Amino acid sequence: MSITSEQSTGPGSTRATTTALANTSGHGSPATDKIFSGISLAAGVLILVVLAAVAIFLVAMASDTFAADPTELTGGKGFASYIWPLVVGTLIAATIALLLATPVGIGVALFISHYAPAKFAKPVGYVIDLLAAIPSVIFGAWGASVLAPHVVPFYNWLGKHFGFLPIFEGPASQTGKTILTAGIVLAIMILPIITAMCREIFLQTPKLQEEAALGLGATRWEMIRMTVFPFARAGIISSVMLALGRALGETMAVTLVLAGGPFNPSLIQSGNQTVASEIALNFPEAYGIRMSELIAAGLVLFVITLLVNVLARFIVSRYNTGVE
């Protein structure tokens, strides 16, 4: 007992006890730190190696397309004239999806984190998360067989009342398989990404800041605007850009929904196509220069996705450092 008392009341007892616990538990060990650092470095290098390997493969396989005579390619006018409508269709579908999914996703995340009772918020969160587990082919089949026929009356209405706008120029497709339908399906697919990420970020807002705003007389919505949104701004941008990357690269859902054919500037007419769906529809039967052309299209999509992620990192780092 005397030994224990002396150790517990000695001047260096706290420091000694802390050091002993750290040594026995393995925390702070230089060897452990080196192992963990090495594993982390290897994982980062592996990602860069795989990314570089994919880029090298795409460039090598697409080189025949860039060196070929324009008349040998699809359309006979060169690769640029072939890929440009596909890129525009891809960007249009992704933009429609973001415009529809972003406000809904942020709103649902706010409802779950700051408005809904706990007993109700958890089931809603689980349902949103389950949407991310549904295969994309299911979304595509639902969009083609269920959603597309039901939106035809709405497309006819758009063509009748807003047909003076090029994007709603009629006559509307009577199958409903248009780029607007594909955008709606993509919006449903990326909704869980935006909602889940925003929900977690909203929940991490410092409670002291929220309570201080409420204590000063702010309403709940004013508190959200003053504390939650500024705190979560970088996270919201990250979730939106991640969802954009998913929308740009989606293949099966868009392939099943779109009718195919040449590009059409109207959102309610059939004929629009995306890079991913073009590759999926034609790659199984492609050979020779046609296969190289499709791989070159994949290279373009790879570059677009890479640029989107680089832009996302730049925007997030800009907001995190407080640069306006």
Side-chain angles (χ1 to χ4, degrees), residues 24-295:
T24 55
S25 60
H27 295 300
S29 172
T32 305
D33 291 342
K34 289 182 179 180
I35 294 174
F36 182 77
S37 177
I39 294 175
S40 301
L41 178 62
V45 172
L46 178 62
I47 293 175
L48 294 178
V49 170
V50 172
L51 191 65
V54 172
I56 293 173
F57 167 79
L58 292 175
V59 172
M61 297 298 294
S63 59
D64 294 341
T65 296
F66 301 133
D69 188 271
T71 58
E72 299 178 1
L73 303 178
T74 302
K77 297 181 180 180
F79 181 71
S81 62
Y82 164 71
I83 196 63
W84 176 246
L86 300 177
V87 171
V88 174
T90 302
L91 295 178
I92 290 176
T95 301
I96 293 173
L98 281 187
L99 291 177
L100 295 176
T102 300
V104 176
I106 295 176
V108 173
L110 274 178
F111 175 75
I112 294 174
S113 61
H114 286 81
Y115 285 95
K119 293 182 178 180
F120 185 71
K122 288 185 178 180
V124 173
Y126 292 150
V127 172
I128 296 297
D129 293 339
L130 285 176
L131 287 176
I134 300 176
S136 60
V137 67
I138 302 299
F139 283 104
W142 171 80
S145 60
V146 178
L147 178 63
H150 285 80
V151 295
V152 171
F154 176 64
Y155 291 168
N156 290 330
W157 182 85
L158 287 175
K160 180 180 179 180
H161 294 86
F162 298 95
F164 59 90
L165 298 175
I167 59 174
F168 296 130
E169 183 180 357
S173 171
Q174 296 307 301
T175 63
K177 294 184 175 182
T178 67
I179 199 73
L180 183 55
T181 305
I184 296 173
V185 173
L186 286 177
I188 298 174
M189 294 183 63
I190 66 177
L191 181 62
I193 298 176
I194 299 176
T195 302
M197 292 187 64
C198 290
R199 177 190 61 197
E200 296 303 323
I201 296 168
F202 293 160
L203 290 174
Q204 294 177 9
T205 305
K207 295 300 180 182
L208 290 178
Q209 295 183 13
E210 296 182 359
E211 293 173 356
L214 293 174
L216 292 174
T219 63
R220 181 168 296 187
W221 173 242
E222 290 173 338
M223 177 271 293
I224 290 173
R225 288 194 294 112
M226 290 188 298
T227 62
V228 177
F229 282 158
F231 175 81
R233 181 170 52 182
I236 293 174
I237 296 174
S238 299
S239 65
V240 171
M241 300 304 282
L242 182 62
L244 176 60
R246 170 71 188 278
L248 289 173
E250 179 53 43
T251 303
M252 289 309 302
V254 178
T255 302
L256 292 175
V257 171
L258 290 181
F263 175 77
N264 196 313
S266 176
L267 303 181
I268 61 176
Q269 294 184 15
S270 61
N272 298 323
Q273 200 62 279
T274 66
V275 176
S277 61
E278 174 75 4
I279 297 173
L281 288 172
N282 296 279
F283 196 83
E285 300 177 355
Y287 63 92
I289 191 65
R290 179 56 173 158
M291 177 175 290
S292 176
E293 190 177 27
L294 294 175
I295 294 178

